[in-house]
């Protein structure tokens, strides 16, 4: 995955639906129908996986980490982020 590979989704105010897989064998972001699949190697303890997802998504979208806001799904595998 190259930096900004999904920059077409980085529209301010857009809502991104993501299905997260923690404890995966690799870090990756893939398109999956209408949303994204995000694979992170970190464990889902104390919000560590959410931090890893934001870091990975920001790189894939080509936006700063502060531009992504978790709207829904803090403790769920299905998350919704708003691009700021």
């Amino acid at each position: 995955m190259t930096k900004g590979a999904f920059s077409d989704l980085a529209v301010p105010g857009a809502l991104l639906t993501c299905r997260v897989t923690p404890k995966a064998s690799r870090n990756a972001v893939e398109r999956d129908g209408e949303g994204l699949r995000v694979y992170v190697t970190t464990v889902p303890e104390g919000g560590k996986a959410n931090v890893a997802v934001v870091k990975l998504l920001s790189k894939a979208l080509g936006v700063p980490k502060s531009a992504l806001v978790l709207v829904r799904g803090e403790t769920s595998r299905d998350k919704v982020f708003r691009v700021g």
Side-chain angles (χ1 to χ4, degrees):
M1 175 187 67
T2 60
K3 185 173 183 175
F6 298 104
S7 60
D8 59 313
L9 300 175
V11 178
L15 294 177
L16 301 174
T17 58
C18 303
R19 176 78 171 185
V20 177
T21 303
K23 295 185 353 181
S25 61
R26 60 190 164 74
N27 288 325
V29 179
E30 299 174 354
R31 288 187 197 251
D32 180 30
E34 296 179 13
L36 296 173
R37 297 274 318 205
V38 182
Y39 302 93
V40 291
T41 58
T42 56
V43 294
E45 295 174 351
K48 292 178 187 176
N50 287 342
V51 172
V53 168
V54 169
K55 183 178 178 181
L56 197 60
L57 269 180
S58 69
K59 183 178 177 184
L61 295 171
V63 297
K65 290 183 280 190
S66 60
L68 293 175
V69 178
L70 181 61
V71 176
R72 186 176 37 233
E74 185 175 344
T75 59
S76 172
R77 290 179 60 176
D78 297 316
K79 301 183 184 305
V80 177
F81 288 94
R82 185 177 65 242
V83 181

